[in-house]
Amino acid sequence: MKRVLVLLSTYNGEKYLSDLISSLLLQKGVDLDILIRDDSSSDCTVELLEKIKDFRIKYYIGKNKGAAQSFLDLIKNAPLQYDYYAFCDQDDVWENDKMKIAVSKLDNVNDEKLALYYSGQTITDKNLNVLYEHKLDNKRSVQANCIFNQMAGCTAVFNRKLLIKMKEYLPKKIYGHDVWCYRLCAAMGGEIIVEKGGHILYRQHENNAIGLGFGIKNKLNRAVDYIFKYNASSYALEILNGYGNQLNEKWKKFFEEICDNSLIGKWKILTNRSIIFHSCELRVLFVIKVLLGKL
């Protein structure tokens, strides 16, 4: 049976944390442990963790760093004796076959390769009533996903090789640990497995750090974020700084093009045929983002 370590960052998560942990401990077909870093919660999250007496769960408390840096600290401190590792959000519920399915797909990858799995999600309200199924587009190219992220970290499962590679360099200027994980795996020529459907109940509530609403207002807000907030060049710079001497020529050139804000650089990235969004909307947002110098 494969050994899996779940990496969970908590922050003021007492309301839904018990539901999540219960679902983690019910995972079938894997030997699962949980490593938790609390990001200086001010509610009763730590007290709740103290009451849970289970040898599979370990936790520690750190200074408040925000979600991305908190997860990077978990990566730094994660032991290497596990076969696979999984990111986890504090307010979701996992179906009991989530890890078994992910591991079965990752087991088909050559042991020498970096490997990453992610999936869609079942979106629910705060009471876990199903709202809709968020299915992923598996026709988008890896390069396109390095511009606009598609992977939700709470669905990500990856092998020891990728964890070791992430431990080599911890970036400072990123907004998402999951985005970093994906782009590093891509840059290093890793295997990325996309499952359109999902095996996780993604809870939408008033305190979500990131939501997936699909009303007109949410779509407009997300379009604005894609153009002005989500910065691909910061990740590209971090990858070049941390791993530039390990990249093959194709990926090094790709990330250099992302960082080049000159007219020639903009033309090169706009005409890069490897960036396939499979979406007219995303393509338009990409063009606007590049022309405004916001890549």
Side-chain angles (χ1 to χ4, degrees):
M1 191 176 291
K2 298 293 184 178
R3 298 194 68 197
V4 177
L5 181 65
V6 173
L7 303 177
L8 169 60
S9 176
T10 58
Y11 178 71
N12 291 348
E14 61 173 323
K15 190 171 183 180
Y16 303 115
L17 191 56
S18 293
D19 287 347
L20 167 71
I21 291 178
S22 294
S23 73
L24 298 182
L25 296 178
L26 289 172
Q27 291 298 297
K28 300 188 300 183
V30 294
D31 182 3
L32 184 143
D33 292 334
I34 308 169
L35 178 62
I36 303 171
R37 180 189 186 276
D38 186 75
D39 200 30
S40 293
S41 292
S42 58
D43 65 355
C44 295
T45 296
V46 174
E47 287 85 341
L48 187 155
L49 293 173
E50 288 176 349
K51 292 177 182 178
I52 299 175
K53 305 299 181 183
D54 194 301
F55 70 94
R56 293 170 289 179
I57 300 174
K58 294 181 180 178
Y59 77 91
Y60 65 101
I61 303 169
K63 293 181 180 179
N64 185 267
K65 296 182 175 184
Q69 291 300 323
S70 184
F71 273 103
L72 290 179
D73 196 69
L74 281 163
I75 289 168
K76 176 184 175 182
N77 289 294
L80 295 177
Q81 68 260 36
Y82 295 86
D83 300 295
Y84 297 108
Y85 300 81
F87 292 137
C88 182
D89 288 351
Q90 66 184 1
D91 43 14
D92 298 329
V93 169
W94 288 15
E95 296 177 5
N96 61 15
D97 61 352
K98 177 187 186 299
M99 287 306 310
K100 180 181 179 181
I101 290 171
V103 166
S104 70
K105 294 180 182 296
L106 287 165
D107 272 348
N108 293 322
V109 179
N110 187 307
D111 289 341
E112 296 304 311
K113 292 193 72 172
L114 280 64
L116 170 65
Y117 159 94
Y118 70 100
S119 72
Q121 312 111 292
T122 298
I123 311 301
T124 75
D125 64 16
K126 63 182 179 180
N127 297 315
L128 298 180
N129 297 307
V130 175
L131 299 176
Y132 58 90
E133 297 291 333
H134 178 57
K135 293 187 180 293
L136 300 181
D137 182 355
N138 58 7
K139 294 183 180 179
R140 285 169 57 177
S141 69
V142 174
Q143 288 82 356
N145 285 329
C146 286
I147 302 295
F148 294 138
N149 178 58
Q150 180 181 232
M151 183 183 83
C154 55
T155 71
V157 184
F158 48 95
N159 66 359
R160 187 191 300 119
K161 285 278 186 181
L162 182 48
L163 178 80
I164 292 171
K165 186 58 63 177
M166 284 192 283
K167 282 177 176 285
E168 290 181 13
Y169 177 81
L170 298 178
K172 299 295 183 184
K173 297 180 180 180
I174 63 168
Y175 55 80
H177 61 287
D178 48 354
V179 182
W180 173 250
C181 177
Y182 183 98
R183 294 181 190 185
L184 180 59
C185 187
M188 302 307 300
E191 185 84 15
I192 299 177
I193 301 166
V194 187
E195 185 175 359
K196 295 180 71 172
H199 311 279
I200 180 173
L201 302 181
Y202 184 92
R203 196 193 306 255
Q204 296 278 273
H205 57 86
E206 62 277 5
N207 295 322
N208 275 53
I210 298 175
L212 278 174
F214 277 78
I216 294 176
K217 183 178 179 181
N218 283 318
K219 285 185 176 181
L220 288 174
N221 288 338
R222 192 157 53 250
V224 171
D225 284 345
Y226 276 160
I227 295 171
F228 296 102
K229 180 179 178 181
Y230 300 138
N231 192 326
S233 58
S234 62
Y235 286 85
L237 281 171
E238 291 280 15
I239 285 174
L240 290 169
N241 288 337
Y243 301 92
N245 61 348
Q246 301 180 43
L247 302 181
N248 66 34
E249 192 59 34
K250 179 189 77 172
W251 279 103
K252 186 175 182 181
K253 181 181 178 182
F254 176 72
F255 287 116
E256 286 174 344
E257 287 178 1
I258 289 176
C259 296
D260 187 351
N261 204 27
S262 68
L263 287 176
I264 294 176
K266 290 178 179 179
W267 173 253
K268 286 182 177 179
I269 199 69
L270 285 173
T271 56
N272 188 318
R273 294 185 178 181
S274 68
I275 303 173
I276 304 169
F277 289 107
H278 198 239
S279 162
C280 293
E281 291 179 6
L282 288 179
R283 185 72 196 182
V284 168
L285 292 176
F286 170 62
V287 171
I288 294 172
K289 190 175 183 69
V290 172
L291 293 179
L292 291 178
K294 298 297 181 180
L295 194 59

